[in-house]
Amino acid sequence: MAPERADAARNRARVLDAARRLVSAHGPGQVSMDQVAAAAGVGKGTLFRRFGSRADLMAALLDDEERLSQRAFLFGDPPLGPGAPPLERLRAFGEHRIRYAHRHHALLIAAGRAAPHHRQSPPETVIRAHVRILLAAAGSSGDLDAQADALTALLNPEYVEALCHEGRDEDHQIRAWASLAAKLCGH
Amino acid sequence: MAPERADAARNRARVLDAARRLVSAHGPGQVSMDQVAAAAGVGKGTLFRRFGSRADLMAALLDDEERLSQRAFLFGDPPLGPGAPPLERLRAFGEHRIRYAHRHHALLIAAGRAAPHHRQSPPETVIRAHVRILLAAAGSSGDLDAQADALTALLNPEYVEALCHEGRDEDHQIRAWASLAAKLCGH
């Protein structure tokens, strides 16, 4: 890597680290680009040049979180990752993504991604494929595409947040997801 | 009813009838307010004063369609309406709403309602309650709220349309919905 590119990569990592710390301390709604620039030790001009806008910076943070989540459910420790029976993995996946949706809801809004992702967006496609594979591995009968779509709809961040406001909290939703998954797998 | 109000109601019905005919002949994207005013025999000023905008007029048309749909599944003939066994009604409801979503997709876009309805909007609430009641009547076990939400997600117009573009046409979706509904009811 040329020195200049290495420098750019370091700056990017520093900005994202600073933004992540500020967001987790104060909530994404309370974090300005000035604060991020100051905390990362870069100029505000550099910050806007690299990340475009506040929403883009929040989207970059979210992309990082999505990558960590994918790594955990595709390659991490069981029961979320490989090694546990498929229905246990489905249950762990529901819990993981419902908590993820709730934890990152304010960040989704700040990133302008509160509206449902396009169905064909890479994260949605991976999530749907993962659920479908686990349904098949658990021996679920019937139309697995429709079942995967129906289960995945319950993980949508807007939906998760709306239910929390209606008094069906995360734990309630996690139990409901697990019960639906078990039912689809004939348990 | 005072003569003036009766007159306004007649005008409203004439405008909606004209708009409905034009939309069904040419598609909502091809219908202008000028055409609607001419076909209904009212001035363009009156049209805008009564309906606000083209999108509002399309929304009024959609509200009419939604009312007709509700009347059919709540009070109409079986198997969609009362009188058939609950699982048969669920199957008929899935077919009815998937065809509804596909048929009215262009109108939804023209009305600015292509994005998913808010969960708490009156039509969504009625649909969810209807599915939940039929699941309960069919003896489905487990968390019926989550099951109703999951089934209802498969009726969302954006979803129905996206699947048609992916090659899972209406008939395919109707079969998938019926199979999921039957599975949830233990059949």
Side-chain angles (χ1 to χ4, degrees):
Chain A
M1 206 185 262
E4 209 175 4
R5 291 203 44 204
D7 200 48
R10 253 196 310 275
N11 264 344
R12 182 185 161 80
R14 253 165 49 195
V15 166
L16 287 176
D17 281 346
R20 189 174 298 110
R21 275 198 315 274
L22 286 165
V23 162
S24 98
H26 308 293
Q30 306 304 314
V31 175
S32 69
M33 290 296 260
D34 281 319
Q35 289 170 305
V36 173
V42 303
K44 208 176 161 186
T46 308
L47 184 57
F48 276 102
R49 213 162 41 244
R50 290 272 159 73
F51 285 94
S53 72
R54 190 173 171 283
D56 292 332
L57 173 58
M58 298 298 166
L61 269 187
L62 260 186
D63 288 340
D64 258 21
E65 298 293 339
E66 190 66 43
R67 263 192 296 275
L68 290 174
S69 166
Q70 281 185 8
R71 198 182 302 165
F73 70 72
L74 292 175
F75 313 113
D77 294 332
L80 184 58
L87 179 54
E88 265 188 59
R89 287 190 71 191
L90 265 178
R91 285 202 190 101
F93 183 72
E95 168 160 9
H96 170 74
R97 293 300 301 194
I98 287 166
R99 296 212 186 282
Y100 179 95
H102 186 61
R103 189 166 58 244
H104 294 308
H105 188 254
L107 195 55
L108 283 157
I109 289 175
R113 290 203 196 152
H117 258 183
H118 190 275
R119 218 181 120 66
Q120 296 295 1
S121 74
E124 289 296 305
T125 309
V126 172
I127 285 170
R128 224 160 45 233
H130 184 64
V131 170
R132 197 193 184 289
I133 285 166
L134 292 178
L135 284 170
S140 178
S141 60
D143 189 315
L144 299 191
D145 291 315
Q147 291 170 36
D149 288 346
L151 275 171
T152 304
L154 304 187
L155 307 177
N156 173 276
E158 279 309 281
Y159 172 77
V160 167
E161 207 56 21
L163 285 206
C164 287
H165 283 285
E166 291 172 21
R168 284 149 76 186
D169 65 11
E170 283 173 280
D171 290 338
H172 183 118
Q173 293 182 53
I174 289 163
R175 283 194 303 274
W177 208 85
S179 116
L180 180 53
K183 200 164 176 185
L184 293 176
C185 297
H187 287 265
Chain B
M1 204 186 260
E4 208 175 8
R5 289 200 51 201
D7 201 51
R10 255 195 310 274
N11 263 345
R12 183 186 161 80
R14 253 163 52 196
V15 166
L16 286 176
D17 281 346
R20 190 175 296 112
R21 278 198 312 276
L22 286 165
V23 162
S24 100
H26 308 293
Q30 305 305 314
V31 175
S32 70
M33 289 296 261
D34 281 319
Q35 291 171 302
V36 174
V42 303
K44 207 176 162 187
T46 308
L47 184 58
F48 276 102
R49 213 160 41 242
R50 289 272 158 74
F51 285 95
S53 72
R54 191 173 170 283
D56 293 331
L57 174 58
M58 298 298 165
L61 270 187
L62 260 185
D63 289 341
D64 259 19
E65 297 293 339
E66 189 68 42
R67 262 192 298 274
L68 290 174
S69 165
Q70 282 184 9
R71 199 181 303 165
F73 68 74
L74 292 175
F75 312 112
D77 294 332
L80 183 58
L87 179 54
E88 264 188 61
R89 287 190 71 190
L90 265 178
R91 285 201 190 100
F93 183 72
E95 168 160 10
H96 170 75
R97 292 300 301 194
I98 287 164
R99 297 215 187 280
Y100 179 94
H102 187 59
R103 187 166 61 247
H104 294 308
H105 189 253
L107 195 54
L108 284 157
I109 289 176
R113 293 205 193 148
H117 258 183
H118 190 274
R119 212 180 127 67
Q120 296 295 1
S121 75
E124 290 295 306
T125 308
V126 172
I127 286 170
R128 224 161 45 233
H130 184 65
V131 170
R132 196 192 184 289
I133 285 167
L134 292 178
L135 284 169
S140 179
S141 60
D143 189 315
L144 300 191
D145 291 315
Q147 290 170 36
D149 289 345
L151 275 170
T152 304
L154 304 187
L155 306 176
N156 173 278
E158 279 309 280
Y159 172 77
V160 168
E161 208 55 21
L163 285 206
C164 286
H165 284 284
E166 290 171 22
R168 285 150 74 186
D169 65 12
E170 283 173 280
D171 291 338
H172 182 118
Q173 293 181 52
I174 288 163
R175 282 194 304 274
W177 207 84
S179 115
L180 180 53
K183 201 165 175 184
L184 292 177
C185 297
H187 288 264

